[in-house]
Amino acid sequence: MTFSGPPADRAAQNRLGLFLTTAAPRPVGHAPRTGAIPGPPAARSRTGAIPGPPDARSRTGPLLVCAAGGLALLIALLGPGVAARGTGELQMPGAGLTAALRTVLFTALALHLGELLAPQLIRPVRGRPRTPVRSWAVLASLAGAAAAAGQILRLAVAGGLGLTETYGTREGGLLLVVANGLVLAAICAATKRPDLALIPLAVVIGAEALRAHPEAYSPAVGAALTVVHLTAASLWCGGLLYVLRTMWHWRGSPVAARTLLGRYARLAAWLYAALAATGTVSTLRRLPLDVVFTSAYGRTLLAKLVLMAVVSALALAARRRMLQDHDPSVAHRLARHEQVVLGLVVVVSAILTVVPDPHRISPGG
């Protein structure tokens, strides 16, 4: 005779299985499915903010840059016509295209000079990370050289001249100097002595200053003012961009990032003073007061002054937050906004170079 126990209770078996499942140790590093707070992940920043997905950031960044560049070129293309609407002034042929090409040229100067300036601000920062920032100098200078070559072609087409004859004109010859200087600067940037690019870049700025002042009234004074103005503007815009890129790489070292931004802010104050002084004198020379609102030059200059006021407010706000808060994230965000508005200033400055001379419509001109 065989003996057997009572039939198994299925409800008890289910409860026992659930107990064994929940009580079993979990592999190290796996968070509970529900109801528990995981430990701090590796991606969490020191301030507690969790950055977005790296893949999303890597895709969004280039798209935003391309969109901003396209918008800037569109403003440059349409700006001269909008500024001259209703003034009765005659525009130069291809003014919009020329403004777009000069926007690229001015941007190239700013990027390259900024990369030469910023390392001088970075080197004395103690405890800085050793993460390198990718150089844009070679591509920027080559793009600027292409923009100068494009202006030469536009000049040849507008005048019905060959390239050799275009080089013989004052503007064509100076643009040739600009193009060759930027090519030399790109070559220097690709070598082990990138600081040698300062020499051809100085020649480029001098040639551009002479090209911008063909007027009969004291052109040497205007060219000297433009040299200082263009140099200060390029260092301000390009230096800020390189500093912001460096701070992004240093986001895990807020003390070093804050120190770097402070060093740039002190230099930017002097650059701002140079821009304000040369800009004021140039305006008094170039713009008769009776055509401020009725000339394309006056209207464009007013737009630039409004943008500079916005830049000044953002720069002061960033400096105030930097002094009050040890976390540089807010100051960094304000400085990024400042960089965007400075980009618009570059576009408007390029438009200023192609609108008609306001003396032609001034009764006292």
Side-chain angles (χ1 to χ4, degrees):
M1 191 169 76
T2 60
F3 294 89
S4 62
D9 186 356
R10 293 192 176 275
Q13 289 180 352
N14 292 337
R15 287 195 297 270
L16 178 60
L18 178 63
F19 171 78
L20 293 176
T21 302
T22 56
R26 296 183 180 273
V28 176
H30 287 254
R33 294 181 182 178
T34 58
I37 300 176
R44 187 182 298 272
S45 66
R46 296 187 178 185
T47 59
I50 301 177
D55 293 340
R57 289 200 308 270
S58 63
R59 288 192 301 266
T60 304
L63 289 177
L64 289 177
V65 171
C66 292
L71 179 60
L73 293 178
L74 181 62
I75 294 173
L77 286 170
L78 301 179
V82 173
R85 185 172 299 168
T87 63
E89 296 174 292
L90 294 177
Q91 294 188 58
M92 62 177 288
L97 177 59
T98 304
L101 292 172
R102 288 178 185 168
T103 298
V104 176
L105 175 60
F106 294 160
T107 303
L109 275 174
L111 288 174
H112 203 148
L113 285 174
E115 287 199 12
L116 293 175
L117 167 70
Q120 311 306 318
L121 303 175
I122 294 172
R123 196 171 293 116
V125 177
R126 296 181 179 180
R128 69 184 187 276
R130 301 296 177 178
T131 307
V133 178
R134 182 181 299 176
S135 174
W136 292 350
V138 174
L139 292 178
S141 289
L142 291 178
Q151 293 181 67
I152 294 175
L153 291 176
R154 187 211 60 81
L155 190 63
V157 172
L161 304 173
L163 285 180
T164 304
E165 296 171 318
T166 305
Y167 296 152
T169 64
R170 181 182 184 275
E171 184 173 1
L174 290 172
L175 285 172
L176 182 61
V177 172
V178 170
N180 290 332
L182 287 170
V183 170
L184 288 176
I187 294 173
C188 292
T191 65
K192 296 182 179 180
R193 291 293 305 277
D195 52 326
L196 291 177
L198 280 173
I199 298 174
L201 289 177
V203 174
V204 168
I205 291 176
E208 177 60 25
L210 290 173
R211 186 213 57 75
H213 290 278
E215 68 270 7
Y217 49 94
S218 59
V221 175
L225 291 171
T226 300
V227 166
V228 178
H229 196 83
L230 184 56
T231 302
S234 298
L235 292 174
W236 186 4
C237 298
L240 178 59
L241 179 60
Y242 197 91
V243 166
L244 290 177
R245 293 175 61 207
T246 303
M247 291 179 67
W248 170 251
H249 286 282
W250 292 4
R251 58 191 179 276
S253 303
V255 175
R258 182 174 179 271
T259 302
L260 175 60
L261 186 60
R263 289 178 59 83
Y264 168 80
R266 287 190 289 272
L267 175 64
W270 290 103
L271 297 175
Y272 182 86
L275 283 170
T278 54
T280 301
V281 176
S282 296
T283 300
L284 294 175
R285 287 184 64 257
R286 194 76 181 265
L287 181 62
L289 296 180
D290 54 347
V291 293
V292 171
F293 299 100
T294 58
S295 66
Y297 190 94
R299 294 173 179 178
T300 308
L301 184 62
L302 289 175
K304 182 178 178 179
L305 291 177
V306 171
L307 292 173
M308 286 300 297
V310 175
V311 168
S312 303
L314 290 171
L316 290 175
R319 182 174 179 83
R320 187 181 302 112
R321 291 308 299 263
M322 183 180 59
L323 294 175
Q324 295 176 354
D325 195 350
H326 291 288
D327 182 6
S329 59
V330 177
H332 184 267
R333 184 169 64 251
L334 291 170
R336 290 202 311 269
H337 296 163
E338 177 188 347
Q339 181 73 71
V340 172
V341 182
L342 279 175
L344 292 176
V345 172
V346 172
V347 177
V348 174
S349 299
I351 296 174
L352 271 177
T353 66
V354 301
V355 294
D357 189 340
H359 284 87
R360 297 174 183 173
I361 62 172
S362 173

